[in-house]
Structure formats: structure tokens, C-alpha cells
Amino acid sequence: MKLPPILERVFKSKSGRLTDKLRLKQNRQLGLIPARYDSNNIQKSICGYCSTGCQLDIHTKSSRPGGLRHGTTHPVNLGMACPKGWEALEPLNAPDRGRVPLIRDVDHTFRQAEWPEALDYFCQRFKEIQNQHGNESVAFLGTGQITNEELALMGALAKFGMGWVHGDGNTRQCMASAVTAYKESFGFDAPPYTYADLELSDTLIFIGANPCIAHPILWHRVMRNPHRPKIIVIDPRATETTAAATTHLAIRPKSDLTLLYAIANILIQNDWIDHSYIDQHTELFDAFARFVKSYSIDRAVEATGLPASSVMELASKIHEGKAVSFWWTMGVNQSYQGTRTAQAIINLALMTGNIGRPGTGANSITGQCNAMGSRLFSNTTSLFCGRDFENPADREDIGNRLNIPADRIPNKKSLPYHEIMKGIEKGDIKGLWIVATNPGHSWIDQSRWFKSIRSKLEFLVVQDMYESTETAQEADLFLPAAGWGEKSGTFINSERRFGVIEKVQDPVGEARSDFDIFKDIADHWGCGELFEHWKTPEDVFQILKTLSMHTPCDFSGIKDYSMLQKNGGIQWPHIQNQQNGDLPEKERRLFEDGRFHHPNGRAHFVFEETTPNPESVCPNFPVWLLTGRGTSAQWHTQTRTAKSKMLRQMAPGSVYVELHPADAHELGIKTNDLVVIRSRRGSLEAHARVQASVQQGQIFIPMHYPEVNQLTHPSFDPYSHQPSYKACAVSLSKRT
Ligand SMILES: Nc1nc2c(c(=O)[nH]1)N[C@H]1C(S)=C(S)[C@@H](COP(=O)(O)OP(=O)(O)OC[C@H]3O[C@@H](n4cnc5c(=O)[nH]c(N)nc54)[C@H](O)[C@@H]3O)O[C@H]1N2
Ligand SMILES: Nc1nc2c(c(=O)[nH]1)N[C@H]1C(S)=C(S)[C@@H](COP(=O)(O)OP(=O)(O)OC[C@H]3O[C@@H](n4cnc5c(=O)[nH]c(N)nc54)[C@H](O)[C@@H]3O)O[C@H]1N2
Ligand code: SF4
Ligand SMILES: [Mo]
């Protein structure tokens, strides 16, 4: 097998030979650890961290998990896992696991409670608030880290059972821009790719993505690509991914949209476009072509800071590639123009016919293990499987399929996350239920979370695995939840693949699965009869199948969990295949027939002028702060990963800041010095890491430390309402 150039560089010894030892070393450096041992007593489960969806084989002894190896035959990870997967069982038995419900007492300390008391308290307080202030005075914040069955039950319970209108998830922070972009461009939220495309592409363009750290096993799939691919990474920072790429385009933060429009213009001017694809499968191209005329190379150079030759070269590479794939994550989505930036990527794929063929696509990689499930089943801003709360026919349809009166379904959309936060600040929302997310660390602009948002809430319920999280510590009622490994259900990974997670141990203490907690709340609330058929996760899976029927995500051909387990997961859509029994194809990419989900079957070009960043640098705050993932061993707010000794050893224990040597020199800062970083909202102290991974005038702080969101600026994409975490203005100085 011929290796792509980057792999030759890393894998081959001086003599030019690829040895097993070198391969192992390379894998270790990337934290990719191959399977180690065998056993017949194995339960197969999908990893509960990132959206790659690797299969982990859990080796059980007397019904207790004894160890773990990585699914060697699974089509996603092909026998590999990253360090988080390897350590997946470690966080389960940590001392700060929530083991009993906790109620905040009159003296403000927590006291332990029995479940019935806790659930009565939950229902009594929320009902009081609703009776006094109406159904819109309460809200929930959910997650992309619980199962499909749990997400659906929670959304149905809150909205159809308890009469709530507002509920959103941490997925708003994560992939809302991609969702909105796909809906508007394709007519449905449908990431089109299958992971094999990473191996089939001859030109891979990553925009605002660091898969080496954030999706290591997807990156492993790129490394297997035998076509000597060109790998172009667009990122203001030099990352582990840019180091392995063939080209790194270090643009200025938030200049992507101008660059992508200029590239479209160059492709059009040179007639490097696929006329027949555009004519047959898209609409609004002519208007788009007129629109991008003003996006000249000079304009791109001015916005991005790249030389004209690099801009031209990017366009040439897209033209020369036979199978060009575009991949994006948070550098695009977490932006005040994230939706339009994602659509600018989609436009490039459409105009060059790079979609629906092997190795192509406009491909958003999602983040959390079940972010894709939350897109279909969380019942937050859209009704199940992409339906619309505001459409009476959709409400009727869901009512019929679930056998509940349609008038129990709210006829308006939920407020998005930041509007829920604003509603709390204004005093309109007085009760909040938070499940499997830790906004006391992860939400943008923390100065407001503590100062105004929390203090305005009359009742805050937090349902989490750990009682020690920043958010749980603020709760009036804490409900201890079982975690991954202590419950079963399904997740959907980034390539739309359903997979099963298995219970391998009982929940610690009196913790319960979110599923069981939701069922108990329904009974205590008095709406349990609505969910009498939702007995077990597998029952709910059957209900979800019926909700998906005749929608673009129809997976009614998946019989049950065991069919998923046998086939290494199955991608949606999967409708029963008459000719082929019900054997699913091994993989499926969307739009192979060029038909999209708008009524006329065409994809739309969507575009809009670029606008300046809502926050600007100035003499007082002259530096751009970038935030994101720091290491493959750290997961978000570190409630889980910090419980593993091995993972702790792989990551810095306290907050640090990467800054450019020239800036450091000017400010007299050396590596390990304490630096004070201020924004217009707050400040923090961090240890300096002087390195040219960032450009001059920019710094980077990983999101894994609670301090970071003291600094971030609360600006949001106007269509997706996703927060723009990635670029805000700060100052820095050496601490004296
Ligand atoms: N180890 C680990 N893996 C994870 C996670 C984790 O916490 N830890 N979280 C998971 C989740 S939920 C998510 S959403 C994904 C996120 O996965 P990624 O999006 O790949 O990770 P980030 O580091 O947030 O951002 C990616 C890159 O965007 C760059 N960037 C910043 N501003 C801009 C810009 O203006 N333009 C461009 N082009 N790039 C920019 C940053 O420098 C960064 O390198 O990772 C998932 N995987
Ligand atoms: N500055 C900055 N901030 C960011 C980002 C960034 O790039 N920069 N990225 C944003 C993104 S993309 C994301 S996705 C968010 C993530 O932000 P969060 O969702 O706040 O981060 P997590 O640490 O994953 O929080 C998940 C919580 O759920 C708990 N938990 C885990 N499993 C279960 C379960 O099965 N049941 C229950 N009930 N609880 C469980 C965990 O203990 C943890 O407290 O952060 C966002 N914040
Ligand atoms: S790459 Fe993602 S899914 Fe795979 S083992 Fe690592 S964290 Fe788990
Ligand atoms: Mo995310």
C-alpha cells in the first residue's frame, strides 16, 4: 500500500522503511492504542465521549466490567480507540459520583433525600411556578450525551406531559449552525457522508477542525487513505492536525466566509465548475454567481492575511481534485456567521459536483457521542425527526403516532439557549432543569451566569453523574444519574450510524438512569399514562422507528438492538429492503441520486454579505483569544476525564495560555510565567506557553478549564443562535 506523504514522513525510518515499531510509536504519539487482549465474555458498546462512535468491547466477569478493548471488526474504529475510550470505565466509581438525591436546605447546605421525596419536591416546585407564572416560566437544558431513548422521553415528558414550551440543549453550543445550514441548503438536517469517504478522497479540506485531538479515530481513517491525498487545513492556529497536513492556511480568525466566497468567485471566473450538476440539482446559482463577483482575491487577502498565491492555490486544488471532500467543525459553527460559513462550504461542494460521490461531500463533523441523536429526538426547537412545532399537520401527525392528543403538543418553538438565559435574567423564566450538561463552566460569558442568571432562578434542578460539577454545586435539587456503562440505549454517530450502548454495571449508590428518572417524574407528575408503552429503552426505540417513518431519517428497517449489534451499527436512513431481505448495506452516503429534500428535489445556494465581528480589538484589548480542545485526553469540563489517572497525566493540570514568541518578548513573558488575561467581561490568570502555534496578536486557551468562559463574548449567529466562542478581544500582561 502506498502511504500518503504525511504518513511517509512520520512512519518511515531513516532507511526509508516502515517498521512495526515506528507505526506503534506513531500510534502512541497520537494516543491511538490498538486492541490488547481477548475474551469470549464481551459486551459491545459504543463509546460515550465523542461523536466518532467507536465500538468498545467490554470484558465482563461475574457481571462486572473487568477490562476493555476496542472493537476490532467494527466499521468505525477498525480495532482502535483513543485514550478516552480506553479509560471509559474509570470515571464510573469516582468518589464525587452523585449517590443519593440532594435537597438544598434552609441553611443553604445540601441534605440527602430519598427518591420519592426528591421527585415530589421536583413536581411540587415546578408546578407552583407554572401555576403562578404560566407554562413559559420554566425550561430545561439538555444534552447530546444521553441516549436517543432518553432524549425522546425527556422531550416528550417535558413538552407533552408537563406542558413546558421551552427546552434546549448544549448542542446549541456545538452544531446548531451546521443544522441550520443543512436545513436551508438541503431541505433537511442531513450530513451526507460516510466515514469511508475519508479514505476515498484525494483532496480533503478541513475548516476550523482539529480531528487529531477532537476525533482521533476519524483522523486515523484519514491516515489510512491510500490515494496520497492533499490535506488542506484552514485554521488560525498551528495544531496537531495542521502539522500532519500537506497545506496549512493560517487565516485570521473569522475570515473564513470572505475566503470561501472568494474561492467560489475564482472557480466561477475560471469556469472550474460543474455546469451539469448545477443545472440538474441546484437552484439560485446565478444569483450566487452575481453575489460573489465582489469577493476578489484582494479582498480575501486583506481579510485573511494569506498571500494571494495561497488563495489561488486553494481554488486550483479544489479544481484539480477528482474527489474533494470538505470537513468542518467548531472553527466554523461557533461563529457569529457560522450558518452562512457552513453554507459557503456547502456551496463549493455543490458548484463543483463534489457531493453524493465516493470521497466527496460538505461534511460537518459533530461533537458529542449522541449530538446526532439530539438533532432528531430531543424535541427542543424542532418536533421529533425534523418536524415543526408551529405546523398543525406535524402536531397532528406526532399526536397520532404517539397516541396522545395533538393539543398537548406546544404550538410554538422553544426559545433557543441564549434566549432562555436572557429570559432568566429578565425574570420571565424562574425554574430550570439541567440534564447532562455543565453550563456553570461551558456557557459563554460566565460573569453573567453567576452574577445574574443563577441568582434570578427560583428553582434549579441539576441531574448529573457527579455532585461536584460547577452547576450541581448551585442546584436547589440534585438528582444523581447513572452514566455510560450503567445503562443501555442507542447513540447516533457523525456518519448517521445508530449503535447500542450496553449496561455493564449497576449504577453506583442510588443513582438511576436518566430514563428511569424521567419515567418516575412522569408518574409523580401525574402524566405517567401518556408513557405507559415507553417501558424500556428498547420499547422506546420501536416508538422512535414509527416517528421516523416517511421522513428523510426513516430507520424503520432496523429491527431491534440485536440487528444493530450484529451489523456494527446501521446508518439512517434504513428502510426495510425488500429485495435484500433486511440486510443493510455496509454503508450509505446521501444524495447519490442528486435529489435533495426541498420539495423540488434541488439544493439551494444560500449566501449573505460578510459582517464585522461584533467584538473588535482596540488598544485596551489588542489580542484575539481563541478557545477550543486542548488534548485528546480532556473532555469538555473534565467531570469525567479528570477521574482517570492516566488521562490526568496526559494533560496539563491547570489553565495555560499559548502565546506567540514575539508577543511574549514584547511583554517580557517567558514559558511558565503567570499571565493576567482580561476581556471586557472578566479576567483570569494562566501559565504561559510561549510557542509559535498561535499567530502574533492571538492567544489560545483550552476550554477545559472553568476560567476560560469568564472572558468569552456573548455574540451569536442570528439564524442558528450558536454562541461565537472562538474569537474575542483580550489584553495580556505578566503578573507582577
Ligand atoms: N479530546 C476531546 N475531543 C473532543 C471534545 C473534547 O472536549 N475533547 N469535544 C467534542 C465536541 S462536543 C466537539 S464540538 C468537537 C470539537 O472539535 P473541533 O471543532 O475540531 O475542536 P475545537 O478545538 O473546538 O476547534 C477546532 C479548531 O477551530 C480553530 N478555529 C478557531 N477560530 C477559527 C476561525 O475563525 N476559523 C477557522 N477556520 N478555524 C478556527 C481552532 O484553532 C481549533 O483548532 O470535539 C469533540 N471531541
Ligand atoms: N470557551 C469555549 N466554551 C465552549 C466550547 C469551546 O470551544 N470554547 N465548546 C462548546 C461545546 S462544542 C460544547 S459541546 C459544550 C460542552 O459543555 P458541557 O455539556 O457543559 O460539558 P460536559 O463536561 O460534557 O458536561 C456534561 C455533563 O453531563 C454529565 N454526564 C455525563 N454523562 C451523563 C449521563 O449519562 N447522564 C447525566 N444526567 N449526566 C451525565 C457530566 O458529568 C457533565 O457534568 O461546551 C461548549 N463551551
Ligand atoms: S475517538 Fe471518540 S469515540 Fe473513539 S474512543 Fe476516542 S472518544 Fe471514544
Ligand atoms: Mo460540542
Side-chain angles (χ1 to χ4, degrees):
M1 179 181 102
K2 280 215 153 183
L3 290 168
I6 51 142
L7 295 187
E8 281 174 6
R9 259 204 336 258
V10 239
F11 275 153
K12 283 192 176 172
S13 67
K14 280 197 190 112
S15 67
R17 288 227 311 280
L18 169 65
T19 60
D20 279 353
K21 211 169 142 195
L22 279 166
R23 189 190 286 272
L24 196 67
K25 192 171 156 206
Q26 159 76 1
N27 281 341
R28 285 227 182 89
Q29 276 167 358
L30 285 172
L32 309 179
I33 305 163
R36 268 212 303 238
Y37 54 83
D38 229 314
S39 158
N40 291 326
N41 200 7
I42 277 172
Q43 278 178 279
K44 294 177 185 308
S45 200
I46 299 301
C47 175
Y49 284 107
C50 90
S51 63
T52 303
C54 296
Q55 189 185 74
L56 305 174
D57 291 353
I58 299 154
H59 165 97
T60 48
K61 245 191 213 161
S62 348
S63 74
R64 288 193 62 79
L68 187 152
R69 64 172 202 163
H70 310 113
T72 43
T73 53
H74 195 258
V76 166
N77 48 317
L78 311 165
M80 305 297 281
C82 86
K84 292 185 297 304
W86 193 241
E87 290 290 283
L89 295 166
E90 284 301 303
L92 291 179
N93 299 313
D96 60 342
R97 278 299 299 277
R99 286 172 163 80
V100 284
L102 301 172
I103 292 178
R104 178 132 354 242
D105 229 334
V106 275
D107 66 356
H108 292 288
T109 58
F110 274 138
R111 73 172 166 80
Q112 299 190 347
E114 302 285 334
W115 272 104
E117 185 194 2
L119 296 172
D120 281 342
Y121 187 50
F122 177 103
C123 296
Q124 176 220 323
R125 293 291 285 120
F126 278 125
K127 280 184 177 176
E128 273 167 15
I129 295 172
Q130 279 170 261
N131 288 340
Q132 213 179 333
H133 305 284
N135 284 346
E136 294 197 45
S137 62
V138 290
F140 67 84
L141 291 174
T143 185
Q145 294 179 62
I146 58 177
T147 64
N148 293 313
E149 295 77 2
E150 291 173 333
L151 285 164
L153 178 53
M154 180 180 183
L157 164 67
K159 295 210 172 172
F160 314 154
M162 307 194 304
W164 296 19
V165 178
H166 303 302
D168 203 7
N170 64 1
T171 43
R172 180 73 59 187
Q173 305 164 344
C174 185
M175 83 286 133
S177 299
V179 172
T180 312
Y182 279 138
K183 276 189 182 162
E184 291 179 1
S185 297
F186 295 163
F188 194 77
D189 172 24
Y193 59 99
T194 188
Y195 290 161
D197 289 322
L198 292 160
E199 298 180 31
L200 295 168
S201 189
D202 63 18
T203 308
L204 295 106
I205 303 176
F206 288 91
I207 308 162
N210 187 9
C212 253
I213 289 298
H215 301 91
I217 299 305
L218 285 192
W219 184 249
H220 177 62
R221 300 292 296 263
V222 178
M223 293 201 305
R224 288 165 46 94
N225 185 317
H227 304 290
R228 303 181 71 82
K230 297 189 177 71
I231 303 173
I232 301 154
V233 183
I234 303 175
D235 192 316
R237 283 193 309 137
T239 64
E240 296 73 2
T241 308
T242 65
T246 47
T247 307
H248 172 203
L249 297 177
I251 60 168
R252 289 206 183 97
K254 301 292 152 251
S255 61
D256 308 67
L257 191 53
T258 307
L259 174 67
L260 296 165
Y261 286 155
I263 297 293
N265 192 17
I266 299 170
L267 294 172
I268 295 167
Q269 299 305 321
N270 288 282
D271 201 21
W272 289 343
I273 56 178
D274 186 335
H275 291 280
S276 91
Y277 194 90
I278 294 169
D279 291 348
Q280 286 177 43
H281 304 301
T282 72
E283 61 184 35
L284 301 170
F285 176 73
D286 292 341
F288 177 61
R290 281 196 300 278
F291 166 80
V292 292
K293 267 198 179 131
S294 67
Y295 286 83
S296 61
I297 297 188
D298 287 350
R299 200 165 157 188
V301 167
E302 198 189 322
T304 60
L306 296 174
S309 56
S310 297
V311 177
M312 200 55 214
E313 204 187 314
L314 174 59
S316 307
K317 283 188 178 143
I318 294 172
H319 168 57
E320 286 156 13
K322 300 276 174 284
V324 183
S325 55
F326 300 86
W327 307 86
W328 81 86
T329 43
M330 293 312 120
V332 170
N333 288 347
Q334 291 175 343
S335 169
Y336 65 93
Q337 284 198 296
T339 303
R340 295 292 176 254
T341 310
Q343 284 164 330
I345 299 170
I346 294 171
N347 294 345
L348 291 180
L350 291 173
M351 69 199 281
T352 55
N354 275 303
I355 192 149
R357 288 186 292 115
T360 66
N363 305 331
S364 132
I365 308 173
T366 196
Q368 304 165 78
C369 47
N370 199 27
M372 287 291 290
S374 80
R375 286 153 91 143
L376 298 179
F377 300 121
S378 67
N379 217 20
T380 50
T381 33
S382 62
L383 189 54
F384 293 126
C385 298
R387 292 179 183 82
D388 187 352
F389 280 104
E390 288 170 1
N391 181 337
D394 281 354
R395 295 199 300 275
E396 195 66 40
D397 183 21
I398 288 293
N400 290 337
R401 292 184 201 222
L402 291 180
N403 199 18
I404 57 162
D407 61 8
R408 294 198 77 129
I409 302 177
N411 60 7
K412 68 195 265 195
K413 283 188 182 21
S414 164
L415 290 173
Y417 200 132
H418 70 305
E419 294 286 345
I420 292 177
M421 292 302 206
K422 271 193 210 148
I424 299 169
E425 270 183 314
K426 279 196 293 183
D428 296 340
I429 293 179
K430 297 172 188 296
L432 185 66
W433 177 23
I434 296 179
V435 178
T437 183
N438 185 11
H441 170 147
S442 59
W443 183 242
I444 204 158
D445 186 10
Q446 284 295 314
S447 55
R448 280 164 78 188
W449 165 259
F450 281 111
K451 281 194 199 128
S452 46
I453 297 174
R454 172 62 191 106
S455 62
K456 287 278 174 62
L457 278 173
E458 288 179 13
F459 188 49
L460 172 64
V461 179
V462 177
Q463 181 168 320
D464 201 286
M465 287 171 68
Y466 302 98
E467 58 188 40
S468 60
T469 73
E470 289 87 352
T471 314
Q473 287 296 306
E474 295 292 313
D476 296 305
L477 170 65
F478 171 79
L479 302 177
W484 177 93
E486 296 171 331
K487 60 183 180 180
S488 60
T490 57
F491 288 160
I492 309 176
N493 77 356
S494 256
E495 56 166 359
R496 313 178 317 283
R497 184 180 295 273
F498 278 86
V500 177
I501 68 157
E502 291 278 8
K503 179 173 171 180
V504 293
Q505 73 170 42
D506 287 329
V508 298
E510 288 174 34
R512 288 188 189 175
S513 71
D514 295 294
F515 189 89
D516 289 343
I517 298 174
F518 301 145
K519 285 283 289 177
D520 281 350
I521 290 174
D523 290 339
H524 279 252
W525 193 276
C527 59
E529 83 285 355
L530 284 183
F531 305 103
E532 63 178 335
H533 300 298
W534 304 47
K535 287 202 176 71
T536 64
E538 195 147 8
D539 293 338
V540 175
F541 183 77
Q542 297 302 330
I543 293 170
L544 301 186
K545 276 167 58 177
T546 65
L547 295 181
S548 79
M549 277 167 115
H550 313 301
T551 73
C553 65
D554 192 332
F555 61 98
S556 53
I558 304 177
K559 234 189 267 151
D560 50 22
Y561 286 0
S562 80
M563 182 174 176
L564 284 173
Q565 290 288 37
K566 247 185 255 152
N567 289 284
I570 298 172
Q571 288 164 292
W572 66 256
H574 181 67
I575 307 162
Q576 197 150 16
N577 183 343
Q578 299 298 344
Q579 278 129 42
N580 197 13
D582 28 59
L583 273 187
E585 304 129 62
K586 255 224 140 82
E587 33 203 335
R588 225 152 315 123
R589 78 179 52 77
L590 303 180
F591 312 131
E592 287 186 323
D593 58 359
R595 281 197 66 77
F596 294 87
H597 298 298
H598 285 298
N600 63 2
R602 287 169 179 269
H604 294 180
F605 283 88
V606 189
F607 48 89
E608 190 176 341
E609 292 294 348
T610 55
T611 55
N613 193 328
E615 179 160 79
S616 50
V617 286
C618 67
N620 288 339
F621 300 99
V623 174
W624 286 114
L625 163 67
L626 304 175
T627 66
R629 277 73 198 156
T631 65
S632 66
Q634 289 165 296
W635 180 258
H636 296 161
T637 72
Q638 298 206 79
T639 64
R640 288 191 277 164
T641 45
K643 308 293 151 52
S644 149
K645 190 172 167 212
M646 176 179 126
L647 297 181
R648 278 201 309 276
Q649 282 169 349
M650 291 176 71
S654 61
V655 60
Y656 63 91
V657 53
E658 292 176 15
L659 73 159
H660 190 273
D663 290 335
H665 180 76
E666 199 180 308
L667 297 165
I669 296 170
K670 290 193 211 56
T671 288
N672 288 332
D673 282 351
L674 262 182
V675 181
V676 183
I677 301 147
R678 288 196 174 80
S679 78
R680 294 178 175 98
R681 296 152 292 282
S683 67
L684 62 82
E685 288 184 6
H687 286 282
R689 279 192 177 186
V690 179
Q691 56 191 55
S693 52
V694 285
Q695 300 180 44
Q696 244 179 294
Q698 295 170 25
I699 59 171
F700 173 76
I701 307 180
M703 67 159 300
H704 310 296
Y705 306 98
E707 299 90 336
V708 66
N709 281 317
Q710 299 294 336
L711 303 174
T712 43
H713 179 246
S715 47
F716 303 89
D717 178 282
Y719 307 103
S720 69
H721 312 295
Q722 180 158 349
S724 181
Y725 280 110
K726 291 285 190 259
C728 69
V730 295
S731 69
L732 61 158
S733 54
K734 186 172 167 173
R735 204 196 68 178
T736 45

